[in-house]
Amino acid sequence: MSTSDDRYGQDVLARDPHAPQRRQLAEVPGEHGLVVECADSGWCGAVIGWEKTIEGWAVVLEDRDGRERAFPANRGAFLLDGERVTVVRPTKTLTPMAARTASGSRAVEGARARVARGSRIWVEGKHDAELVEKVWGDDLRVEGVVVEPLHGVDDLVRVLADFDPAPGRRLGVLVDHLTAGTKEARIATDAMAAHPGVVLVVGHPFVDVWQAVTPACAGIEAWPVVPRGEDWKAGICARLAWGDDTGLAWKRLLGRVTKWTDLDPRLLGPVEQLIDFATQDGG
């Protein structure tokens, strides 16, 4: 057989013409304002910047409603005019994106703390307040919202009466272990019924706010189960060999938290809800 009749040429390792070929995709510089669509999710938005992640570079898109999301700049991850493309970092430098607060919101450059509003957010204890401050502190100062520890919710209805909530003086309360049928759920219902529209009680399902820190952030595989009746914090420290000083253990745990991704979403949503509530009506 002549070389001209040999479909593979003389190289026995040459490419098989009948094998599926990898499609060549256009590479498009992710310039500011370029509108693309995420091929997997359908999210469509304009490029507003790039972020470095542990998995590599991600392009940040902003949709028509002002919502922002970052997407890994993988090969063929986006659609441009209906065609799959690879969005790459532009050769020229984009205008740097605004810095982010620990909660993930865009930082307001040069912003000063606002004079405190009449509205407040109450949390159950000192550790809850410290965790909220660690992640949402910058946002709260800009909004002028003060977070105060309540030290338990058993007397919430009575304490609310002393606070005297009203329009412009709203009160949001974050409660631990707020699940259906619990004592905490009954207290929350009574509190909101006594002050309709100006008191909002929300919560998370965790026995203690420590559990709202993700196991990955805490450096453990999972939070241990502590039997009912046993002191929860002491039980956690014993099972994780964190020592007898629960206060010191908390400081170390809190020190590992740097941003919102270190927290369970079941805490993130309620806190954001309370901040929105406390800032309505000029509260």
Side-chain angles (χ1 to χ4, degrees):
M1 182 172 63
S2 66
T3 302
S4 60
D5 294 329
D6 185 354
R7 293 177 298 172
Y8 303 100
Q10 294 179 325
D11 185 354
V12 295
L13 298 179
R15 175 176 55 85
D16 182 349
H18 300 297
Q21 301 303 309
R22 192 177 190 189
R23 182 182 175 188
Q24 295 296 316
L25 299 176
E27 292 189 350
V28 180
E31 304 282 1
H32 195 284
L34 175 72
V35 177
V36 292
E37 177 183 340
C38 174
D40 291 335
S41 68
W43 178 285
C44 184
V47 175
I48 60 171
W50 288 77
E51 291 183 352
K52 186 68 175 294
T53 71
I54 60 174
E55 298 175 348
W57 284 99
V59 59
V60 183
L61 304 182
E62 182 179 60
D63 70 4
R64 65 179 63 187
D65 297 319
R67 297 174 298 179
E68 300 174 12
R69 282 186 61 182
F71 297 89
N74 297 330
R75 180 180 181 275
F78 300 94
L79 298 176
L80 179 62
D81 297 329
E83 296 291 331
R84 276 190 180 265
V85 298
T86 300
V87 177
V88 297
R89 290 184 68 208
T91 54
K92 66 178 183 179
T93 304
L94 290 177
T95 301
M97 292 186 63
R100 301 280 175 169
T101 67
S103 70
S105 63
R106 188 175 294 181
V108 181
E109 187 175 354
R112 296 181 179 180
R114 174 175 172 167
V115 175
R117 297 173 182 263
S119 297
R120 295 286 187 273
I121 292 177
W122 287 353
V123 295
E124 283 213 44
K126 178 182 176 183
H127 293 179
D128 306 68
E130 290 175 340
L131 185 60
V132 170
E133 163 62 27
K134 184 73 178 286
V135 177
W136 286 274
D138 289 338
D139 304 30
L140 292 166
R141 280 183 284 277
V142 169
E143 295 291 351
V145 177
V146 176
V147 176
E148 300 172 339
L150 179 60
H151 304 299
V153 297
D154 288 352
D155 292 330
L156 179 59
V157 174
R158 179 186 60 78
V159 176
L160 280 173
D162 294 337
F163 181 81
D164 192 22
R169 186 176 166 80
R170 291 167 169 246
L171 189 60
V173 185
L174 181 69
V175 177
D176 297 343
H177 200 225
L178 188 60
T179 56
T182 62
K183 173 191 69 176
E184 290 81 2
R186 293 190 294 272
I187 292 173
T189 299
D190 292 344
M192 289 188 288
H195 304 277
V198 291
V199 170
L200 175 65
V201 183
V202 298
H204 55 73
F206 308 115
V207 175
D208 191 277
V209 77
W210 287 26
Q211 281 184 302
V213 179
T214 65
C217 176
I220 58 178
E221 292 187 3
W223 284 104
V225 175
V226 177
R228 180 176 296 182
E230 181 179 349
D231 182 86
W232 191 87
K233 291 185 176 72
I236 287 294
C237 288
R239 287 163 176 80
L240 294 176
W242 283 1
D244 298 330
D245 190 335
T246 58
L248 179 59
W250 167 246
K251 288 182 178 179
R252 290 173 177 168
L253 177 61
L254 183 64
R256 299 180 68 101
V257 176
T258 60
K259 56 184 177 179
W260 63 275
T261 52
D262 294 329
L263 303 181
D264 190 292
R266 289 172 290 179
L267 176 67
L268 298 175
V271 174
E272 296 284 355
Q273 187 179 1
L274 290 179
I275 294 174
D276 289 343
F277 180 78
T279 53
Q280 291 177 14
D281 302 332

